[in-house]
Amino acid sequence: MSAEPLRVDPAAVLPDTGTLGPEAPRIAVVVSLTFPGMTEQTLELMERFTRVAFETLHAAGARAELVDSAAEELLPEAALAGYDGVLFLGGGDVDGPLYGHTDPVPNAYGVDLRADEYCLELIRGVLERDQPLLAICRGSQLLNVACGGTLIPDLDPWHLHRGGPGEPIFLDEEVDLLPGSKVAAILGRDSVTVRSGHHQAVGTVAPELAVAAVARDGVVEGTEHPGRTWVVGVQWHPEDSDGDAGHRSLLFEEFVRQSRANAVAEVRNLAEAGRT
């Protein structure tokens, strides 16, 4: 009999939101609680990163709700219209054929085609409705694929982006932020030390997106959607508790502020529609 696959326990990542008032913006947090080949190490990372993301959203005044992209019964895409903002977290690799890559991928892990296709559907719906979107690591890669871009299947050289064999996978990485980008304005600087642990990255940037951050070797580390109100993708992990808490708070607080503004705009639009 095969062992049950490892899965993040929602109770280990969800904070108590009882102190939030009804005016708190609702944010959907999309993440796969399991994926093929999940190990004890990746389980610990997923639990820690997801917990920190929820805690930071809560501290910023948002009511965050879990959307498991690996659930047996998936939340209908249309249901995301009821949220004021959407956050996509990291996880396994994106299936290669979805961005035109059909050769074997070195170091591949966690590929779940069903979850990929579901997430791409969700992202396209979010973009169509112009909801605030923050996409982290795998989320940033899915954003690029959803908009017609490609990925680098396996980075080589890789030493700036992840630890080597026998070393911790996550390391500090210097990233340059492009002038005029949203993330540069949020952090108030033109470069930042971030927490990275990735072997894939944005390849050809989708026509709809603009580069917002690059690694010192030229690899794209952040994108934005100039045609939408607030859409930001970052390859690094601001929700890593080993990273800079101040930078994490600034990014998440701006995302929550944009989500709150979106909620206010929706109320205003509904009121105006009722008067016509």
Side-chain angles (χ1 to χ4, degrees), residues 255-273:
F255 170 54
V256 171
R257 190 184 75 81
Q258 293 290 334
S259 300
R260 185 176 289 109
N262 180 52
V264 171
E266 285 294 320
V267 170
R268 185 186 306 117
N269 291 338
L270 288 172
E272 291 174 353

Side-chain angles (χ1 to χ4, degrees), residues 48-64:
R48 178 161 60 89
F49 287 11
T50 305
R51 181 173 61 253
V52 170
F54 272 94
E55 290 173 349
T56 309
L57 289 170
H58 180 255
R63 187 179 303 280

Side-chain angles (χ1 to χ4, degrees), residues 52-78:
V52 170
F54 272 94
E55 290 173 349
T56 309
L57 289 170
H58 180 255
R63 187 179 303 280
E65 301 176 18
L66 179 68
V67 176
D68 181 7
S69 49
E72 290 187 13
E73 185 174 343
L74 297 171
L75 183 75
E77 185 279 324

Side-chain angles (χ1 to χ4, degrees), residues 52 56 172 187 189 192-195 236-252:
V52 170
T56 309
D172 290 336
L187 298 182
R189 52 200 304 134
V192 63
T193 301
V194 301
R195 294 291 291 172
W236 65 88
H237 283 271
E239 82 287 22
D240 183 351
S241 55
D242 292 333
D244 191 301
H247 294 162
R248 175 169 60 251
S249 294
L250 286 172
L251 182 58
F252 275 65

Side-chain angles (χ1 to χ4, degrees), residues 209-248:
L209 302 180
V211 177
V214 293
R216 295 294 164 86
D217 60 1
V219 169
V220 174
E221 291 281 340
T223 57
E224 298 174 1
H225 197 311
R228 296 294 182 268
T229 302
W230 202 89
V231 172
V232 173
V234 294
Q235 179 61 61
W236 65 88
H237 283 271
E239 82 287 22
D240 183 351
S241 55
D242 292 333
D244 191 301
H247 294 162
R248 175 169 60 251

